[in-house]
């Protein structure tokens, strides 16, 4: 070990010198002045404890000829494998079998220096070392297994900068980390492919971040080689063990080979512009050479191997799917006609009625005491498996869905707070082509709303920023004829007008329902206003249900799927293809890319595919993804995806440099925006500290070849259909980069959380927020009007989705609203050792974590403020979707670092 310390004495001397390879000297000087987390102090103590002997190399001095002969040294490494990914008997048995075979297999590892050998001009390499399973048998049930490996290096080896790993076993395994002499760490978190699939040698770089121009000479070729492997050659079909990242259009959603009804257009191109997805390389369909053949149901869609869900996540997902399947058994067991609700009690029977167990029986005794304990336990178990927990929206007031204030509050503090806009002109005007879609003028008139403006004129209300709108007219009208021709689908193009009250709450004052015009003399729109009697009350309830149905579709297809899942995927693919794992921006973004490619692949299998859950459960049916494409073509802009820019675009905020975030909300009690701005600001500060540390000026950004290639490919390949748009931001300065990174992290973390994890808590009671409607609102001369007149409740219930549709929908949104046990939340990073030699970066992450905790406390405080009526009041659930932390399950809170579901 004494000789070994000479090498790593040289290493410690290098990291304590202010040279391009390390800034640890600054760290050692600042440690007494700055309070660091405990883990950081441990790193400091470790590095300070390794001192260079007199004969150690100093990288600041030129290499001198040494007469003495080089000495071979032993260097110890600890290799950690995660058994959570390979801990069952099926996976471990091949390793045990290999361990006992006479001809043993093993894993080959080799250290690579940051220096080159002046004689060969190649990187200095250690002797090949082996990780032999026979020396330590894998422990079934253990979370991790650690193995010791001995490397042999020359005494002038220098600093280890990379390590290569080659698996000679027949089974892949999950490599978590490799630590050299307790000093140099390689965080791998990757699958190592098996020999049987012709696995290539894997390259892992040490935790230190390098800009391309700072890459140590011994690592330059390896850096390029790794990126070339990740890009592939664009040819061939992908196999599960591949690590290739590439782009393709969405041409694998349809399945016309099995049924012509499942034929769908390709998404991504002039007719249906769409962001690109990860390429699978499957052969084209026999019926359509432009369409990829669908994977068999037993074969998952390809994503690069390292993007797979880890065991904890996968287990939670599978358990959720199993519960969903069991819950769909209810209709077949309990009703003879699954399409009919006979009363609201039928809907209530879907939920886990735990409170009924405490009700009194007719003889005055509590039912749960009168039943045998075994029956009581059995009843609880059946309810837990087959029934749903009551959603959050019902937890405080089961009749809240009938109230107008609850309907309005959803636009500010519900699952879709991204559609509300300020009215700048009245009546609103359509932007659709008049010859195709009819008059652009709205049917809304001043007389419809002037009685609901607290004595203001319409113009005065506009000038005082009191009128707001949910405008789904132009989004739906081009598709209405197609939608309404589908079985059990009926929809309008809707506009809903709200008035801002003195209490900062919204009040709905008019709903416009439009259909495509049949002829110029036939009115295609009707306007509903707040009810004045029983009949108009039921018509008003039906009108609100149609608005909520449209809102559900826009939320799911545009704000959720398009703006987070689909539009982020090209940036992630480009990051893997163009940014080395040792690039500081890759390291910064890495936690915010976790699981997203796999989640999107799962969506293509069962959610957005032809006949999938989205088409089945939402109003637009088979036209769902075309609505998403139209929004991408006509409305999406990356430069307006940041929170402040989006709020200004919708007119709900105005620029104001006197405010903390540079904007002023026109609805002060707007929970999503108010809480979101706190998180946006924290992300922006972190990005600013990080970027300014690595890029001192504009030239550093412009000359970073990997960074420029990442952004160029994200735009021109990943978003090819919009690549010529003039609004794409430039990447020519540190401020440009700060803005882009803030936007990407915001979308992947807080924006997605606000749109996803409240789907069951806010939408699990279908009358509150139906995902589709099956009947139009009857008019007096319609054949169905008398049916409505005689039984308005029955008509309302028959307009909702069928029982089987509702249970399927509820099961799905329950799964996707749930956090897995392995979730990594905003403000928490597991890779801080990457920056152990960079005190400013560690300090920036530390303060970011503290600020996120402070934000959580501030949101809790706001939710207890009775003056904030949109988040605190009788029967009102607090707005918690942007509270950063959460436990597992459906909690209606928690902001993961990335799009994980």
């Amino acid at each position: 070990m004494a000789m070994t310390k000479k090498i790593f004495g040289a290493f410690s001397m290098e990291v304590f010198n202010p040279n391009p390879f390390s800034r640890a000297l600054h760290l050692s000087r600042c440690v007494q002045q700055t309070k660091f987390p405990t883990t950081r102090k441990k790193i400091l103590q470790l590095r300070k404890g390794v001192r260079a002997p007199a004969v150690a190399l100093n990288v600041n001095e030129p290499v001198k000829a040494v007469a003495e002969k080089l000495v071979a040294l032993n260097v110890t490494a600890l290799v950690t494998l995660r058994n959570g990914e390979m801990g069952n008997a099926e996976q471990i048995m091949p390793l045990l079998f290999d361990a006992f075979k006479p001809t043993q297999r093993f894993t080959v590892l080799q250290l690579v220096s940051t220096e080159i050998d002046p004689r060969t001009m190649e990187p200095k390499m250690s002797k090949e070392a082996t990780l032999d399973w026979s020396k330590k048998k894998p422990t079934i049930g253990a979370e991790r297994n650690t193995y010791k490996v001995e490397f042999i290096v020359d005494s002038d080896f220098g600093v280890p900068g990379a390590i290569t790993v080659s698996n000679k076993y027949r089974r892949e395994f999950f490599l978590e980390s490799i630590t050299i002499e307790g000093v140099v760490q390689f965080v791998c978190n990757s699958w190592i492919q098996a020999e049987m699939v012709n696995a290539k040698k894997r390259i892992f770089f040490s935790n230190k971040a390098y800009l391309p121009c700072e890459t140590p000479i011994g690592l330059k070729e390896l850096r390029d080689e790794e990126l070339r492997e990740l890009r592939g050659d664009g040819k061939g079909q992908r196999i599960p063990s591949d690590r290739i990242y590439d782009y393709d259009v969405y041409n694998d959603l349809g399945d016309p080979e099995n049924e012509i009804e499942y034929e769908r257009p390709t998404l991504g191109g002039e007719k249906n512009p769409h962001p690109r997805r990860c390429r699978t390389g499957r052969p084209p369909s026999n019926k359509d050479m432009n369409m990829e053949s669908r994977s068999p149901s037993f074969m998952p869609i390809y994503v690069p191997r390292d993007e797979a869900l880890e065991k904890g996540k996968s287990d939670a997902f599978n358990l959720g799917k199993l519960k969903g399947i069991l819950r769909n058994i209810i209709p077949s067991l309990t009703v003879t006609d699954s399409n009919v609700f006979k009363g609201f009690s039928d809907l209530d029977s879907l939920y886990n009625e735990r409170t009924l167990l405490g009700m009194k029986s007719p003889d005055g005794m509590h039912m749960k005491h009168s039943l045998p304990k075994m029956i009581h336990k059995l009843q609880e178990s059946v309810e837990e498996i087959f029934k749903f927990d009551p959603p959050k929206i019902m937890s405080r007031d089961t009749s809240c869905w009938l109230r107008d204030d609850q309907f309005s509050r959803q636009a500010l503090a519900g699952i879709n707070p991204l559609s509300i806009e300020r009215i700048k002109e009245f009546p609103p005007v359509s932007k659709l082509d008049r010859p195709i879609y009819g008059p652009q003028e709205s049917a809304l008139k001043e007389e419809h709303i002037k009685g609901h403006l607290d004595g203001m004129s319409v113009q005065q209300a506009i000038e005082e920023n009191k009128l707001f709108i949910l405008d789904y007219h132009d989004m739906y009208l081009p598709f209405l004829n197609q939608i309404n021709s589908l079985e059990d689908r009926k929809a309008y193009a809707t506009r809903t007008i709200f008035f801002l009250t003195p209490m900062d709450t919204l009040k709905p004052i008019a709903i416009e329902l439009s259909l495509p015009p049949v002829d110029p003399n036939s009115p295609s729109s009707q306007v509903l206003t707040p009810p004045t009697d029983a009949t108009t009350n039921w018509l008003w309830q039906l009108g609100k249900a149609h608005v909520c149905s449209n809102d559900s579709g826009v939320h799911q297809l545009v704000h959720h799927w398009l703006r987070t899942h689909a539009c982020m995927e090209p940036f992630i693919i480009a990051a893997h293809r163009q940014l080395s794992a040792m690039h500081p921006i890759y390291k910064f973004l890495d936690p915010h890319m976790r699981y997203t490619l796999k989640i999107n692949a799962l969506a293509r299998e069962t959610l957005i595919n032809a006949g999938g859950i989205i088409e089945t459960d939402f109003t637009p049916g088979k036209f769902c993804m075309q609505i998403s494409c139209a929004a991408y073509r006509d409305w999406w802009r990356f430069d307006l995806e940041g929170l402040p820019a989006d709020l200004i675009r919708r007119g709900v905020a105005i620029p104001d440099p006197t405010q903390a975030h540079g904007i002023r909300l026109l609805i002060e009690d707007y929970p999503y925006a108010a809480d979101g701005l706190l998180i946006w600001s924290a992300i922006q500060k972190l990005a600013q500290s990080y970027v300014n540390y690595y890029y001192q000026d504009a030239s550093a950004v412009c000359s970073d070849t990997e960074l420029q290639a990442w952004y160029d490919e994200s735009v021109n390949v990943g978003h090819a259909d919009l690549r010529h748009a003039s609004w794409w931001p430039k990447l020519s300065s540190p401020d440009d980069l700060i803005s882009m990174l803030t936007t990407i992290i915001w979308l992947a973390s807080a924006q997605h959380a606000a749109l996803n994890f409240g789907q069951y808590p806010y939408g699990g009671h279908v009358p509150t927020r139906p995902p589709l409607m099956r009947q139009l609102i009857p008019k007096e001369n319609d054949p169905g009007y008398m049916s409505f007149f005689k039984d308005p409740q029955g008509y309302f219930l028959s307009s909702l989705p069928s029982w089987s549709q509702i249970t399927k929908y509820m099961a799905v949104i329950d799964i996707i609203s749930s956090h897995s046990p392995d979730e990594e939340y905003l403000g928490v990073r597991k890779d801080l050792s990457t920056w152990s030699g960079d005190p400013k970066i560690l300090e920036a992450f530390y303060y970011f974590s503290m600020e996120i905790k402070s934000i959580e406390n501030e949101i809790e405080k706001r939710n207890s403020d009775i003056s904030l009526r949109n988040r605190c009041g009788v029967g009102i659930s607090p707005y918690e979707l942007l509270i950063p932390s959460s436990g597992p399950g459906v909690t209606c809170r928690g902001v993961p670092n990335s799009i994980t579901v």
Side-chain angles (χ1 to χ4, degrees):
M1 289 302 295
M3 293 301 294
T4 302
K5 289 182 179 179
K6 289 188 178 182
I7 294 179
F8 293 93
F11 169 71
S12 69
M13 190 168 188
E14 181 177 40
V15 299
F16 277 90
N17 278 281
N19 58 68
F21 302 126
S22 177
R23 299 179 177 85
L25 178 61
H26 180 65
L27 177 62
S28 65
R29 289 175 177 170
C30 293
V31 67
Q32 301 301 326
Q33 303 174 16
T34 309
K35 294 181 179 179
F36 294 99
T38 304
T39 54
R40 204 183 326 166
K41 289 180 180 178
K42 291 180 180 179
I43 293 170
L44 293 175
Q45 292 167 1
L46 176 62
R47 290 192 178 278
K48 288 171 68 178
V50 183
R51 293 298 181 185
V55 296
L57 295 177
N58 187 333
V59 297
N60 291 323
E61 297 177 359
V63 178
K64 299 178 181 178
V66 181
E68 61 182 299
K69 185 178 179 180
L70 294 177
V71 179
L73 306 176
N74 288 333
V75 177
T76 302
L78 296 180
V79 180
T80 302
L81 309 184
R82 188 184 301 169
N83 284 350
E85 315 305 327
M86 46 165 281
N88 60 50
E90 179 187 357
Q91 292 171 312
I92 276 188
M93 286 308 296
L95 302 181
L96 293 172
F97 180 73
D98 284 338
F100 286 108
K101 285 181 63 177
T103 305
Q104 293 182 2
R105 300 171 182 268
F106 42 80
T107 299
V108 178
L109 304 94
Q110 197 168 14
L111 280 179
V112 184
S113 174
T114 57
E115 303 173 8
I116 62 171
D117 188 327
R119 296 165 296 180
T120 64
M121 300 307 292
E122 296 290 335
K124 296 177 181 178
M125 308 282 286
S126 72
K127 302 293 183 183
E128 288 188 345
T130 60
L131 190 165
D132 193 341
W133 303 113
S134 64
K135 294 182 178 178
K136 180 180 179 181
K137 308 301 186 296
T139 303
I140 297 178
E143 185 176 354
R144 291 172 178 81
N145 273 303
T146 301
Y147 298 84
K148 185 179 291 186
V149 174
E150 295 288 338
F151 291 98
I152 298 176
V153 301
D154 290 335
S155 54
D156 68 343
F157 181 81
V159 181
I163 192 167
T164 65
V165 181
S166 185
N167 183 17
K168 301 299 182 182
Y169 285 91
R170 298 180 302 160
R171 175 72 68 165
E172 66 177 7
F173 59 89
F174 193 86
L175 177 60
E176 186 172 272
S177 66
I178 302 173
T179 304
I180 312 295
E181 291 285 323
V183 178
V184 184
Q185 187 177 28
F186 300 82
V187 176
C188 307
N189 287 333
S190 296
W191 289 95
I192 305 300
Q193 298 159 291
E195 180 185 45
M196 59 190 299
V197 296
N198 298 318
K200 295 181 180 179
K201 187 179 293 185
R202 287 295 305 271
I203 304 169
F204 297 102
F205 298 101
S206 68
N207 283 353
K208 185 149 184 63
Y210 297 102
L211 293 173
C213 62
E214 297 176 345
T215 309
I217 190 170
L219 303 181
K220 285 186 176 180
E221 179 54 36
L222 284 180
R223 183 171 186 153
D224 294 340
E225 179 184 334
E226 175 74 353
L227 287 175
R228 284 194 298 269
E229 182 177 333
L230 292 171
R231 293 173 196 146
D233 59 7
K235 300 176 183 178
Q237 182 177 329
R238 305 286 178 255
I239 60 175
S241 58
D242 278 347
R243 300 174 55 236
I244 297 172
Y245 295 81
D246 205 353
Y247 304 91
D248 204 352
V249 294
Y250 279 72
N251 60 353
D252 62 345
L253 302 182
D255 193 12
E257 291 183 337
N258 290 329
E259 192 171 343
I260 191 65
E261 175 64 21
Y262 291 154
E263 185 174 353
R264 295 292 182 272
T266 295
L267 309 184
E270 185 176 346
K271 291 185 178 180
N272 295 288
H274 194 275
R276 298 312 193 256
R277 64 165 173 86
C278 193
R279 181 175 184 268
T280 65
R282 293 190 63 81
S285 163
N286 291 333
K287 291 187 177 181
D288 186 349
M289 295 302 291
N290 294 318
M291 180 173 290
E292 268 189 351
S293 60
R294 292 282 295 169
S295 296
S297 58
F298 60 85
M299 179 181 288
I301 290 178
Y302 166 82
V303 294
R305 190 66 186 95
D306 290 340
E307 302 300 317
L309 304 182
E310 295 181 14
K311 189 175 185 298
K313 179 74 172 180
S314 181
D315 288 349
F317 221 73
N318 291 333
L319 178 61
K321 287 195 292 185
L322 177 61
K323 289 176 67 175
I325 292 170
L326 293 175
R327 285 166 173 172
N328 271 285
I329 296 175
I330 295 174
S332 61
L333 296 179
T334 56
V335 292
T336 56
D337 184 353
S338 62
N339 287 323
V340 176
F341 283 99
K342 296 179 180 179
F344 286 103
S345 60
D346 286 347
L347 278 167
D348 294 340
S349 70
L350 295 174
Y351 301 106
N352 191 343
E353 301 179 60
R354 296 180 187 277
T355 54
L356 293 180
L357 299 178
M359 294 176 60
K360 290 184 178 181
S361 60
D363 62 1
M365 297 179 62
H366 280 81
M367 291 175 63
K368 69 177 181 181
H369 295 310
S370 64
L371 294 173
K373 289 184 178 181
M374 184 179 297
I375 297 177
H376 171 62
K377 291 291 185 183
L378 179 62
Q379 181 178 353
E380 283 188 328
S381 300
V382 169
E383 286 191 345
E384 178 67 27
I385 295 173
F386 289 97
K387 292 194 175 186
F388 296 89
D389 291 329
K392 179 178 179 178
I393 199 167
M394 297 176 62
S395 63
R396 298 195 177 191
D397 185 355
T398 57
S399 63
C400 65
W401 67 275
L402 293 166
R403 301 200 318 262
D404 283 357
D405 66 305
Q406 179 64 32
F407 170 73
S408 299
R409 197 177 77 89
Q410 296 303 302
L412 300 174
I415 192 56
N416 180 22
L418 273 68
S419 289
I420 192 73
E421 299 180 55
R422 177 167 54 92
I423 291 180
K424 299 174 184 177
E425 61 176 344
F426 187 88
V429 178
S430 171
K431 296 179 181 178
L432 299 174
D433 293 340
R434 181 185 295 268
I436 301 175
Y437 301 109
Q440 295 176 319
E441 294 76 21
S442 169
L444 289 161
K445 305 298 179 186
E446 186 168 341
E447 55 264 28
H448 290 128
I449 66 172
K450 64 180 181 181
H452 304 281
L453 304 181
D454 289 358
M456 295 183 185
S457 67
V458 172
Q459 186 58 36
Q460 183 182 3
I462 291 174
E463 291 174 355
E464 295 188 17
N465 303 318
K466 296 293 185 181
L467 289 181
F468 294 83
I469 187 171
L470 288 178
D471 191 345
Y472 299 135
H473 181 276
D474 289 6
M475 191 80 73
Y476 276 87
L477 191 66
F479 299 94
L480 278 185
N481 282 333
Q482 297 162 297
I483 292 171
N484 289 337
S485 66
L486 299 173
E487 183 180 359
D488 281 346
R489 292 289 199 283
K490 290 296 180 284
Y492 297 96
T494 60
R495 293 187 179 105
T496 310
I497 308 297
F498 299 90
F499 177 72
L500 184 64
T501 71
M503 294 185 295
D504 230 25
T505 58
L506 294 177
K507 176 176 68 174
I509 57 177
I511 297 173
E512 180 185 19
L513 306 161
S514 300
L515 295 170
V518 178
D519 62 72
N521 299 318
S522 174
S524 58
S525 299
Q526 59 178 310
V527 175
L528 302 177
T529 54
T532 56
D533 58 19
T535 301
T536 54
N537 178 67
W538 277 108
L539 292 173
W540 182 248
Q541 296 298 339
L542 283 167
K544 291 193 298 182
H546 274 280
V547 172
C548 288
S549 173
N550 283 2
D551 188 73
S552 293
V554 171
H555 159 260
Q556 200 68 263
L557 304 175
V558 179
H559 298 314
H560 183 202
W561 163 253
L562 174 67
R563 296 179 67 184
T564 61
H565 285 262
C567 287
M568 285 300 98
E569 184 160 356
F571 289 98
I572 294 171
I573 297 172
H576 286 286
R577 286 169 53 86
Q578 301 297 341
L579 295 176
S580 167
M582 66 172 70
H583 196 289
I585 299 304
Y586 179 90
K587 290 180 178 293
F588 189 57
L589 289 177
D590 188 35
H592 306 289
M593 303 188 291
R594 183 179 186 234
Y595 288 159
T596 303
L597 297 186
K598 181 62 177 180
I599 291 298
N600 285 4
L602 291 173
R604 284 153 51 203
E605 288 180 2
T606 59
L607 291 178
I608 65 171
N609 60 302
I613 292 164
I614 297 297
E615 289 191 358
T616 301
D617 293 344
F618 288 86
T619 293
K622 63 189 294 184
F623 307 105
C624 279
M625 295 313 299
Q626 292 185 52
I627 287 181
S628 182
C629 289
Y632 180 67
R633 177 194 64 215
D634 300 332
W635 183 80
W636 184 84
R637 291 178 51 161
F638 180 68
D639 64 324
L640 298 181
E641 284 298 277
L643 178 60
D646 177 62
L647 295 172
I648 292 170
R649 166 173 57 179
R650 292 189 281 121
V652 295
I654 58 175
D656 187 345
T658 67
Q659 298 295 309
H661 309 291
I663 63 172
R664 177 166 62 87
L665 295 175
L666 298 181
I667 304 175
E668 291 184 16
D669 185 16
Y670 184 176
Y672 158 78
D675 296 353
L677 285 170
L678 296 176
I679 296 177
W680 169 271
S681 180
I683 295 171
Q684 187 178 49
K685 289 176 188 174
L686 175 63
Q688 186 174 31
S689 297
Y690 192 87
V691 169
N692 288 339
Y693 181 75
Y694 287 101
Y695 300 93
Q696 281 71 44
D697 51 38
S699 64
V701 172
C702 294
S703 63
D704 187 333
T705 53
E706 289 184 6
L707 182 69
Q708 293 296 328
W710 164 69
Y711 184 56
D712 179 77
E713 187 171 279
S714 298
V715 173
N716 291 299
V717 183
H719 288 276
D721 302 325
L722 300 179
R723 65 187 182 278
H724 298 305
S726 60
W727 43 255
W728 282 104
K730 304 296 182 185
L731 181 53
S732 56
S733 70
D735 286 345
D736 295 338
L737 182 56
I738 291 166
S739 177
M740 288 177 193
L741 295 177
T742 304
T743 298
I744 289 171
I745 294 173
W746 162 259
L747 293 171
S749 59
Q751 181 82 299
H752 178 262
L755 293 167
N756 183 77
F757 294 105
Q759 291 193 72
Y760 183 79
Y762 285 101
H765 184 246
V766 171
T768 304
R769 188 178 173 78
L772 64 84
M773 295 292 284
R774 297 194 290 165
Q775 295 188 98
L776 295 175
I777 299 176
K779 297 180 180 179
E780 289 188 16
N781 56 349
D782 290 342
Y785 186 79
M786 287 309 297
S787 174
F788 161 74
F789 191 81
K790 291 178 181 179
D791 184 11
Q793 176 179 292
Y795 191 93
F796 182 90
L797 289 170
S798 65
S799 298
L800 297 178
S802 68
W803 195 315
S804 58
Q805 287 173 320
I806 282 180
T807 55
K808 182 179 180 182
Y809 170 72
M810 290 169 60
V812 171
I813 62 173
D814 183 57
I815 293 170
I816 62 180
S817 299
S818 182
H819 292 288
S820 62
D822 72 337
E823 206 82 90
E824 296 177 5
Y825 295 100
L826 197 65
V828 178
R829 290 188 69 124
K830 296 182 178 180
D831 60 348
L832 285 181
S833 60
T834 297
W835 294 276
S836 57
D838 298 323
K840 288 186 178 179
I841 298 301
L842 283 172
E843 187 174 7
F845 283 129
Y846 174 69
Y847 283 120
F848 176 68
S849 178
M850 294 299 101
E851 188 166 5
I852 292 297
K853 291 180 180 178
S854 176
I855 288 170
E856 185 163 320
N857 294 333
E858 175 61 23
I859 294 174
E860 297 278 13
K861 181 180 177 182
R862 291 174 177 181
N863 285 335
S864 301
D865 187 343
I866 60 174
S867 69
L868 301 176
R869 298 297 183 90
N870 289 317
R871 57 166 97 225
C872 185
V874 176
I876 292 177
S877 300
Y879 185 74
E880 298 178 312
L881 285 171
L882 289 176
I883 291 180
S885 70
S886 174
V890 179
T891 63
C892 201
R893 58 181 284 165
V895 180
N897 278 320
S898 59
I899 299 167
T900 59
V901 67

